[in-house]
Amino acid sequence: MTNDDNSIYAGFWIRVWASIIDSVLLGFIIIPFLLAIYGMDYLESKSLIQGPADFLLSYVLPAVAVIVFWAYKSATPGKMAVSIKIVDAQTGELPTTAQCIGRYFAYFISIFPLGLGLFWVAFDKRKQGWHDKLAGTVVVRK
């Protein structure tokens, strides 16, 4: 996808808003289940993971949901709400499933050095974070 006009690429702050929307939605869905399973003690626990249900609901479900949304809708609900989507950086088409999976795991690389790979979006000419570059994707406005 070659375009010298940066206005089509979704910048840092719109992507932050999409992430906030996604986080709030996930919280509304997941927290009631966790409280039903573990009770109010869940909120006071210092453990990172309180059991298998916690691991599945807090880590596996969100990962699968994000990858499925990216693969089938090219966006999470938060991205849809702010009218942005993920596309293949070369073709502008929907990303492949492999790109979606790779992009998800590349987030860990983006986050590790003090979030530098995420902040990179603010300075990159194509508004790509490290996870986008590694997966061969860009985020664009619809």
Side-chain angles (χ1 to χ4, degrees):
M1 187 170 159
T2 56
N3 190 333
D4 295 329
D5 180 11
N6 284 347
S7 66
I8 68 159
Y9 299 115
F12 180 78
W13 288 111
I14 194 83
R15 292 171 72 167
V16 168
W17 280 115
S19 294
I20 291 169
I21 292 167
D22 288 333
S23 297
V24 169
L25 286 173
L26 273 173
F28 277 127
I29 294 167
I30 293 170
I31 291 173
F33 286 106
L34 292 172
L35 293 176
I37 295 165
Y38 296 106
M40 292 304 284
D41 291 339
Y42 179 81
L43 299 175
E44 297 172 9
S45 174
K46 302 215 185 309
S47 297
L48 183 61
I49 299 171
Q50 291 193 28
D54 186 15
F55 179 74
L56 289 171
L57 289 169
S58 297
Y59 296 95
V60 177
L61 175 67
V64 171
V66 165
I67 292 167
V68 167
F69 268 107
W70 286 347
Y72 290 98
K73 294 290 189 180
S74 196
T76 58
K79 282 182 174 53
M80 287 185 244
V82 297
S83 298
I84 61 178
K85 65 181 182 175
I86 301 162
V87 297
D88 182 278
Q90 298 300 316
T91 66
E93 300 295 324
L94 288 174
T96 65
T97 301
Q99 282 177 300
C100 294
I101 293 168
R103 187 176 193 270
Y104 185 84
F105 288 105
Y107 265 106
F108 295 104
I109 296 168
S110 293
I111 293 168
F112 182 67
L114 302 174
L116 184 60
L118 300 176
F119 290 116
W120 201 264
V121 171
F123 306 105
D124 187 77
K125 77 174 186 173
R126 294 180 80 191
K127 306 298 181 198
Q128 288 178 293
W130 293 355
H131 52 286
D132 292 310
K133 291 182 179 296
L134 289 168
T137 60
V138 291
V139 180
V140 296
R141 294 179 180 270
K142 290 185 183 178

